Amino acid sequence: MPVVSKLRVVPAHIAQRERQTVRTQIGIVGAGPAGLVLAHLLHLQGIESVVIESRSRKYIEERIRAGLLEHGTVDLLIETGVGKRLQREALTHHGIELRFNRRGHRIDFNDLTGGKTVTIYAQQEVIKDLVAARLEAGLPLIFEASDVSVHNFDGANPSIRFRVAGKAQELHCDYIAGCDGFHGICRPSIPAGVLTEFERIYPFGWLGILAQAPPSSPELVYTYHERGFALLTMRTTEVSRLYLQVPYDEEIDAWSDDRIWSELRTRTAADGNWKLNEGAIFQKGITGMRSYVVEPMQYGKMFLAGDAAHIVPPTGAKGLNLAVADVRIMAQAFAEFYKTGKTELLDRYSEIVLRRVWKAQRFSWWMTSMLHRFDTDNAFDERRQIAELDYVTSSRAAMTTLAENYVGLPWD
Ligand code: FAD
Ligand code: PHB
């Protein structure tokens, strides 16, 4: 069911005989982490917005994606009043393990970053908390919108057109926030020649599963193995989230539950007292890997945030965190505009956020390059990767570099 609350609906005028028109300050396309956090931050600044989402509430609250939050993301959710359940239910981690040649090496975040941590709390839980906060406050969030399109953002009167429950609507706004993910409509609506794309596609993807099995290790284990990368992560103390590097064009049907467990056992094998906890697999899927950035992240009165403007391979756990970092700056820029009339921060939005985006790109690319097999026949690469892992797990300087990027670079 579409949810539309507290919209100021203005009767249609002659020019738009069949279209209901609505007015707000910021029109937000997409109710992922970027769109919902932006709407929340704007509300706290007294700025009106309408969020338009193409999927149902159930769909976005069940979509399996990220699980690891940087300390800055967690602080922001708590400080802005949407972190209560997170504080009760999330798991705090003080380090990770890098495993290769059957041995584990701990990277101690506490020691290396002055006490910073990361948090396991599934993306769909963040979404549930933000949706609940918005609807409880009676603020507009429209689900199941179809035929969404953006207009006039290079002029003075931007608008978003869409259909909901069969009715055509037009949302007029001061600015449009394109938070509609990698496959959304905002980025492709920018005229040809304005944007420059930077891209790297990897020859592999991740097969991810959720299993009813307690985590085998209290912290995440990133494993380099001659057969490929594996990652042991978790959702709760009862549910494991496990990933395997697979060829980019792999079919999920090629992976029976037995084959998945057998491969995970092989890749994560370690000397000493190690055992992989196994259990019923209740979700599995394959995701491709790419690095992608578009520059600039704005055009006229439309601003892009999150996956709509950039994608990172998941090895650094940066995608959701980067989406939140973008909209934090965007909300500040809108707040400055509505308080002072100045557009200085808005004008510099791309320049400011792209500095962090590229650092996250570099880190995600580096983690991916160090931990995955690119070419199984290349013995030189294998020796080089092992040497890199050996260095990263023995030099305090190298461990600090990994740790400070992993927990999240400072906001400003
Ligand atoms: P999205 O979450 O994609 O949200 C966009 C929203 O827009 C969606 O709800 C979509 O339905 C909606 N939409 C699309 N088109 C339209 C339209 N035309 N009209 C209206 N609405 C539209 N990141 C991390 O930080 N940590 C991790 O541990 C991590 N692990 C990951 C593991 C995997 C396997 C994958 C695939 C990703 C992972 N990520 C991780 C990345 C993270 O999930 C994304 O970066 C994050 O979802 C980006 O948020 P977003 O709001 O920009 O985009
Ligand atoms: C996850 O928990 O899903 C996760 C954690 C760390 C990553 C990627 C995914 O690097």
Side-chain angles (χ1 to χ4, degrees):
M1 277 289 287
V3 178
V4 185
S5 46
K6 218 178 158 190
L7 279 179
R8 284 188 285 117
V9 179
V10 180
H13 287 302
I14 312 147
Q16 296 133 331
R17 223 167 281 135
E18 290 167 30
R19 193 176 282 137
Q20 273 193 319
T21 61
V22 180
R23 164 116 212 124
T24 192
Q25 290 175 303
I26 312 295
I28 302 176
V29 187
L36 289 170
V37 172
L38 176 64
H40 180 59
L41 296 179
L42 293 177
H43 170 57
L44 297 180
Q45 298 274 0
I47 301 168
E48 274 183 23
S49 67
V50 173
V51 183
I52 299 164
E53 164 63 47
S54 56
R55 301 286 192 165
S56 68
R57 177 177 183 181
K58 183 172 177 340
Y59 184 92
I60 66 163
E61 290 188 343
E62 289 177 1
R63 186 164 42 195
I64 307 294
R65 286 221 178 140
L68 189 127
L69 308 182
E70 293 177 355
H71 71 97
T73 304
V74 169
D75 290 350
L76 181 135
L77 295 172
I78 293 172
E79 280 160 18
T80 62
V82 283
K84 291 198 180 60
R85 198 163 64 91
L86 180 153
Q87 281 177 294
R88 281 199 310 275
E89 296 177 13
L91 305 171
T92 305
H93 286 194
H94 300 269
I96 55 166
E97 180 184 320
L98 296 184
R99 188 176 291 185
F100 58 100
N101 287 346
R102 301 181 65 90
R103 281 195 54 212
H105 306 259
R106 184 160 189 265
I107 308 290
D108 184 340
F109 298 157
N110 237 354
D111 175 33
L112 296 162
T113 66
K116 298 218 168 63
T117 56
V118 289
T119 296
I120 287 287
Y121 191 64
Q123 178 164 327
Q124 73 268 27
E125 304 305 325
V126 176
I127 295 291
K128 280 181 206 160
D129 296 343
L130 289 161
V131 167
R134 186 147 183 96
L135 296 181
E136 271 160 31
L139 297 168
L141 168 51
I142 299 167
F143 291 109
E144 297 179 67
S146 59
D147 302 330
V148 181
S149 57
V150 285
H151 303 269
N152 299 328
F153 46 90
D154 51 353
N157 185 21
S159 73
I160 306 171
R161 292 186 194 154
F162 56 100
R163 298 184 76 83
V164 70
K167 289 215 178 77
Q169 310 241 358
E170 182 157 14
L171 175 70
H172 291 278
C173 44
D174 299 333
Y175 291 98
I176 297 172
C179 301
D180 50 349
F182 187 67
H183 301 288
I185 50 95
C186 289
R187 188 184 68 250
S189 303
I190 295 176
V194 171
L195 303 177
T196 306
E197 291 178 305
F198 302 85
E199 187 167 36
R200 172 152 302 181
I201 295 178
Y202 299 87
F204 42 75
W206 278 14
L207 186 161
I209 62 161
L210 283 168
Q212 202 60 52
S216 309
S217 162
E219 292 174 344
L220 272 60
V221 181
Y222 288 79
T223 307
Y224 176 86
H225 188 273
E226 60 186 17
R227 294 177 63 84
F229 170 72
L231 171 60
L232 307 182
T233 169
M234 64 197 70
R235 286 296 172 263
T236 65
T237 51
E238 303 303 320
V239 172
S240 288
R241 174 84 165 141
L242 310 168
Y243 296 102
L244 282 170
Q245 174 187 350
V246 293
Y248 75 98
D249 54 355
E250 193 72 319
E251 297 286 342
I252 193 71
D253 291 345
W255 288 84
S256 66
D257 292 4
D258 283 350
R259 182 175 176 207
I260 293 172
W261 287 119
S262 161
E263 195 64 30
L264 281 165
R265 276 194 301 272
T266 305
R267 294 192 195 179
T268 61
D271 294 337
N273 209 6
W274 163 255
K275 188 177 151 290
L276 180 71
N277 290 339
E278 298 177 29
I281 296 176
F282 60 91
Q283 197 269 345
K284 56 178 158 179
I286 294 179
T287 318
M289 309 255 286
R290 76 168 78 215
S291 301
Y292 175 90
V293 182
V294 82
E295 291 187 5
M297 286 170 54
Q298 63 196 89
Y299 177 69
K301 296 206 162 182
M302 183 158 77
F303 294 81
L304 304 176
D307 282 13
H310 43 72
I311 296 279
V312 284
T315 329
K318 289 282 164 261
L320 180 157
N321 295 295
L322 217 44
V324 172
D326 286 353
V327 297
R328 190 177 153 271
I329 301 293
M330 201 193 286
Q332 272 176 23
F334 285 137
E336 184 190 75
F337 170 71
Y338 285 111
K339 279 193 192 109
T340 67
K342 288 192 188 138
T343 61
E344 197 190 326
L345 254 187
L346 280 173
D347 296 341
R348 292 185 51 223
Y349 168 73
S350 290
E351 173 206 322
I352 295 169
V353 297
L354 278 165
R355 287 184 64 204
R356 187 183 186 86
V357 166
W358 275 110
K359 285 181 196 151
Q361 286 291 352
R362 184 208 68 81
F363 178 66
S364 306
W365 165 84
W366 174 69
M367 286 283 280
T368 303
S369 315
M370 178 169 68
L371 287 160
H372 291 73
R373 293 305 308 274
F374 280 69
D375 171 359
T376 40
D377 289 336
N378 193 326
F380 179 89
D381 270 355
E382 193 196 349
R383 294 288 195 282
R384 183 189 53 75
Q385 284 174 308
I386 294 287
E388 182 151 26
L389 283 159
D390 197 5
Y391 174 63
V392 166
T393 53
S394 56
S395 151
R396 187 174 172 88
M399 280 189 277
T400 305
T401 296
L402 192 156
E404 68 185 15
N405 280 277
Y406 194 96
V407 299
L409 293 171
W411 286 111
D412 294 308

